[in-house]
Amino acid sequence: MDIEEFRKAGYQAIDRICDYYASLQERPVVSQVQPGYLVDALPSNPPEQAEDFNSIADDFQKMILPGITNWQHPNFFAYFPTACSLEGILGDLYSSSVSNPGFNWLSSPACTELEQVVMDWCAKLIGLGDHFLNKSGVGGGVIQTTASEACIVICVAARARYVRENPEAKLEDLVIYTTTQTHSLGVKAGLVLGLEVRALPVKPEDEYGLRGETLHQALAEDHAQGKRPFVLIGTVGTTSSGAVDNLEEIGEVLKEHPSIWLHVDSAWAGVAMACPEYRAFGKLDAINKYAESYDTNFHKASMRLNSWGLVNFDASMLWVRSRKNLTDALDVTPEFLRTKQHDAGLVVDYRNWHLGLGRRFRSLKVWFVLRRYGIEGFRKHIREGVELNEYFASLVRASPSFELVTTPSLALSVFRLTLPPSVSSELEGKDETTVRTAQNDLNRAFHTRISAHSDKIFLTQTMLNDTFCVRFAVGAQRTRKAHVDAAWELVQENAREATEEWLQQRTKV
Amino acid sequence: MDIEEFRKAGYQAIDRICDYYASLQERPVVSQVQPGYLVDALPSNPPEQAEDFNSIADDFQKMILPGITNWQHPNFFAYFPTACSLEGILGDLYSSSVSNPGFNWLSSPACTELEQVVMDWCAKLIGLGDHFLNKSGVGGGVIQTTASEACIVICVAARARYVRENPEAKLEDLVIYTTTQTHSLGVKAGLVLGLEVRALPVKPEDEYGLRGETLHQALAEDHAQGKRPFVLIGTVGTTSSGAVDNLEEIGEVLKEHPSIWLHVDSAWAGVAMACPEYRAFGKLDAINKYAESYDTNFHKASMRLNSWGLVNFDASMLWVRSRKNLTDALDVTPEFLRTKQHDAGLVVDYRNWHLGLGRRFRSLKVWFVLRRYGIEGFRKHIREGVELNEYFASLVRASPSFELVTTPSLALSVFRLTLPPSVSSELEGKDETTVRTAQNDLNRAFHTRISAHSDKIFLTQTMLNDTFCVRFAVGAQRTRKAHVDAAWELVQENAREATEEWLQQRTKV
């Protein structure tokens, strides 16, 4: 492909992306294809001869787009919706045009330095303390691929620090602490490091946030058994319900255990702290006071992904109080990677701050987005998401057929159907498990039914302890009040139908 | 940014990328900025108000491009040059426009299925056996971010398998085997898993490739000490010199140790096997016969990056003989990630094949490149790189002032300056170390001098055992014979000057 062919194909791509966004609302939310649709459609061998680019581009429209679940769709309320922005797409485009590995400063100075600057911008945007800034020269920020990888990096650094301080420690005794509500990143870190993970219990009355007393007890139990907890992964804004661990209490307990590293994962909720009014919710003060590391996603698309960061996947922002803990744990500098700038200590070589070696030029899209929106525009975007969710929550509250399971958390509501009055009175006096089982059955039936309309709406389910719930997550950039109204209509309609059917089946049994 | 503003900005971006490629040859190879150039130039806070996109795009030209080391430059002979293709940029652009997380099938069927198909295409392109195909339903391929991450994933899977089979094994006794020439990915995997890494010695007379006998001895020693090697990272095409481990011998030794996992890393050299004539060099038969897993990069930019895959960073292709070994080690499926397709075993959920959760839609750019080039075009591209390197090696061979340190490996030559006759005769009869030290000093002086011309040419250094060498790696898509000629002129000129200066200093001392 020569430059002029690229220009033509590039214009065409831009035009088609414009068409895609203009028609987004008419597309199904969830892809309606069947498993194997593409595997069966494509040849099983690569072509012998070169193909014309036009036919490749046409196949993208014909074969790929129908197999895409539209995370940016205004009716996407599942997981955490994605707010991929057009600015982010441009950032990615410029970035892939120069496509630089950025593993050390020399391999592309712009790549390293823009990341240093942008990470400081993001830290200031959400109110992190100066000790997390790259400018501090001691702490600093780095863009990771996902919050899961950030968590692995942190666990590796925490283990290395712990073992340095406690050389007699056996790997078999090391324990990673999470809660039962921690994202799967906790379990995955355990699998990767090969270490035990203990999920501490949380209670409905604490809105599923970890309390200091629970931690205190667990530490006593584990220490008595010779176990060595060395890192606690706290969460601000869990995936299931947006729960928040009580970081003040946790921080105070950990004061007596300075070798235990407190990592705070706020993959979804962190960017909300761009708005001062959500900083108390986001536990900003406790994070600045107690956390050794903090992670939030500015990108959009994945389970945890922040719907709000407006940056295209991937951009998980990780800050640490001490960069030396990362480089002590991860530095590999063979001869062919040495540069005079690194040897002179003049520059940051980010390869020693993460798992891979090469890395994408990811700061560019963040830079584009932050400049194009400004702090003002960024805040406006966050506030709109929270307002839409508050509106949804008010609809749930006002309905006799539904209830909120937890207090709405920023742009996430967790709700469920209540039992119909006839069943409620029938079960009166029965034990808690019987009642919960009935309500779970009803809500599973409801979720199954609404999932059948995945071309129109997408909601995901979750379990909170033993309670089956449905999640409503706002955040796609194009979602407006009218979409929430339409979603609520669908929710009510499907709930009615599901309840009727469930009642009939119940009578039969 | 609305759709029409995006269209305008998108056209502009395409035009500017065209300009960039058209002017590439006039740009410096290595960025000439000083440390801190960008940190100092940018404001330390994000802007309060939204900025106009034009000024952002202009700043990219003004501030970012000068800080870019041009890996695609025809005079880039360092590390392994990058052959990012214009097709790859378009693939990335389309991919970021739909920006899908792809962590399970439902989250975007196209994302998962295209990866399944494309990985089979790539496997066939380089001749891998049917047992590595996704179609086999048992083995399969997955795109990882980097070869380093692929190696971590494999070590995690290998450890999990080993511990399942040997539940009494202590983590402290586990050992990862590499050679002294293995890429830093081996050491990094050890750091991440927290396990011992033993680098087995290799010899110049074996062209720095691992022999079966060395492995055999190491196993005997380690087993005698109660150590438990559980994975061997073999290499086909090391970073330093393109060395190849003797996989036939290694495979035979490991037959007696079935619990040791053989991973073959061929990050740089693997795609050369697209040409049948390089399959013997690439150890294809031994890989198909003995390897449990195999990795090669189709992307371009990083230390190991294949200059040849023509795909933009990142696309490290990993194949395994048994996908179950990956999912057994890495599966995390909480309630909110369950889908009926997964529960029914109908689909692949790639999140359990790698470290993160969310993932980019990376197969798209590979699909674009393979179709646009066809097998024919892909092979042509590989052969051109090898021919240019053979040409360079012939120039070295014909010169009395230089010598090849190892046999040229595909598109990589490792060479050094010979000692000037006066010094040679002066040192005649001296011990090997004295001679080597002198020659190393001379070559360091040469490399330092040529590095000062990094606007015109970029070469990297390496150590082979105790020998300092200079690497010449071909592969940027725009490199032609004229560029090699010009490079050779610069090499000779700088060698002459460096030698003269070195001789003068030597006399002074």
Side-chain angles (χ1 to χ4, degrees), chain B residues 185-249:
Chain B
L185 56 74
V187 178
K188 200 140 193 180
L191 290 174
V192 171
L193 276 75
L195 301 178
E196 186 182 333
V197 176
R198 180 170 175 186
L200 308 182
V202 291
K203 300 184 204 122
E205 56 266 37
D206 299 322
E207 297 264 0
Y208 301 95
L210 178 64
R211 300 297 301 265
E213 184 50 32
T214 311
L215 172 62
H216 183 76
Q217 271 182 32
L219 285 170
E221 286 163 21
D222 276 333
H223 285 148
Q225 289 180 31
K227 293 280 183 190
R228 294 170 176 269
F230 69 99
V231 63
L232 167 67
I233 301 163
T235 309
V236 173
T238 60
T239 308
S240 276
S241 67
V244 177
D245 290 334
N246 193 319
L247 296 184
E248 296 85 358
E249 291 181 6

Side-chain angles (χ1 to χ4, degrees), chain B residues 427-447:
Chain B
L427 296 179
E428 215 177 307
K430 291 279 167 83
D431 62 301
E432 208 185 309
T433 313
T434 308
V435 178
R436 190 174 48 229
T437 305
Q439 197 168 1
N440 283 355
D441 285 351
L442 171 64
N443 277 281
R444 278 187 205 275
F446 160 57
H447 185 256

Side-chain angles (χ1 to χ4, degrees), chain A residues 1 11 15 21 36 38 44 49 51 67 87 97 110 113 124 159 171-172 188 191-192 351 371 376, chain B residues 1 11 15 21 36 38 44 49 51 67 87 97 113 124 159 171-172 188 191-192 351 371 376:
Chain A
M1 177 175 277
Y11 283 1
D15 284 338
Y21 277 90
L38 188 61
S44 57
Q49 259 81 41
E51 294 183 49
E87 289 81 355
S97 75
E113 296 201 13
K124 288 174 179 176
R159 182 189 54 200
L171 293 176
E172 278 72 11
K188 201 141 193 180
L191 290 173
V192 171
R351 72 172 178 285
R371 291 185 61 184
E376 207 176 72
Chain B
M1 176 175 273
Y11 283 2
D15 284 339
Y21 278 91
L38 189 60
S44 57
Q49 259 80 43
E51 294 183 51
E87 289 81 355
S97 75
E113 295 201 13
K124 289 174 179 176
R159 181 190 53 199
L171 294 176
E172 277 71 12
K188 200 140 193 180
L191 290 174
V192 171
R351 73 171 178 285
R371 291 185 61 184
E376 206 177 76

Side-chain angles (χ1 to χ4, degrees), chain B residues 79-362:
Chain B
Y79 303 114
F80 291 112
T82 85
C84 143
S85 66
L86 297 170
E87 289 81 355
I89 296 176
L90 292 169
D92 251 354
L93 172 57
Y94 276 107
S95 146
S96 67
S97 75
V98 293
S99 96
N100 262 257
F103 51 83
N104 60 19
W105 180 85
L106 186 64
S107 74
S108 266
C111 198
T112 296
E113 295 201 13
L114 189 63
E115 186 158 335
Q116 291 178 277
V117 171
V118 157
M119 286 303 292
D120 281 2
W121 282 17
C122 291
K124 289 174 179 176
L125 179 69
I126 61 176
L128 290 185
D130 289 348
H131 56 283
F132 284 120
L133 299 184
N134 284 309
K135 237 180 178 147
S136 72
V138 180
V142 56
I143 306 181
Q144 304 280 337
T145 308
T146 61
S148 294
E149 283 198 29
C151 182
I152 294 169
V153 166
I154 287 307
C155 289
V156 168
R159 181 190 53 199
R161 187 182 78 171
Y162 189 89
V163 172
R164 270 199 309 279
E165 291 172 359
N166 303 274
E168 77 291 358
K170 291 248 166 297
L171 294 176
E172 277 71 12
D173 296 329
L174 299 184
V175 186
I176 297 169
Y177 271 9
T178 67
T179 80
T180 54
Q181 290 300 309
T182 304
H183 183 257
S184 60
L185 56 74
V187 178
K188 200 140 193 180
L191 290 174
V192 171
L193 276 75
L195 301 178
E196 186 182 333
V197 176
R198 180 170 175 186
L200 308 182
V202 291
K203 300 184 204 122
E205 56 266 37
D206 299 322
E207 297 264 0
Y208 301 95
L210 178 64
R211 300 297 301 265
E213 184 50 32
T214 311
L215 172 62
H216 183 76
Q217 271 182 32
L219 285 170
E221 286 163 21
D222 276 333
H223 285 148
Q225 289 180 31
K227 293 280 183 190
R228 294 170 176 269
F230 69 99
V231 63
L232 167 67
I233 301 163
T235 309
V236 173
T238 60
T239 308
S240 276
S241 67
V244 177
D245 290 334
N246 193 319
L247 296 184
E248 296 85 358
E249 291 181 6
I250 291 170
E252 286 303 310
V253 172
L254 290 184
K255 263 192 180 171
E256 293 155 45
H257 307 274
S259 57
I260 302 181
W261 182 306
L262 175 61
H263 175 60
V264 177
D265 172 62
S266 191
W268 163 65
V271 287
M273 296 201 300
C275 305
E277 67 269 32
Y278 304 129
R279 289 184 179 171
F281 174 90
K283 300 279 179 198
L284 180 64
D285 290 345
I287 288 161
N288 282 331
K289 189 165 174 195
Y290 301 111
E292 192 62 42
S293 55
Y294 178 74
D295 188 75
T296 184
N297 287 343
F298 270 67
H299 62 211
K300 31 99 237 148
S302 142
M303 297 308 317
R304 305 303 305 294
L305 302 153
N306 191 298
S307 41
W308 299 341
L310 290 164
V311 177
N312 299 37
F313 187 76
D314 43 356
S316 188
M317 310 323 224
L318 173 66
W319 287 275
V320 291
R321 197 175 276 269
S322 158
R323 62 177 73 175
K324 201 168 170 303
N325 282 325
L326 294 185
T327 53
D328 279 352
L330 290 165
D331 192 349
V332 281
T333 305
E335 177 74 21
F336 58 80
L337 279 180
R338 288 182 56 188
T339 63
K340 67 176 193 213
Q341 296 85 358
H342 175 84
D343 289 350
L346 285 173
V347 294
V348 164
D349 286 345
Y350 269 132
R351 73 171 178 285
N352 298 321
W353 295 44
H354 70 149
L355 299 178
L357 176 56
R359 51 209 322 269
R360 290 173 61 87
F361 189 0
R362 290 178 289 209

Side-chain angles (χ1 to χ4, degrees), chain A residues 335-356:
Chain A
E335 177 75 21
F336 58 81
L337 280 181
R338 287 182 57 186
T339 64
K340 68 176 190 212
Q341 295 86 356
H342 175 83
D343 289 352
L346 283 174
V347 294
V348 164
D349 286 346
Y350 269 131
R351 72 172 178 285
N352 298 320
W353 295 44
H354 69 151
L355 299 177

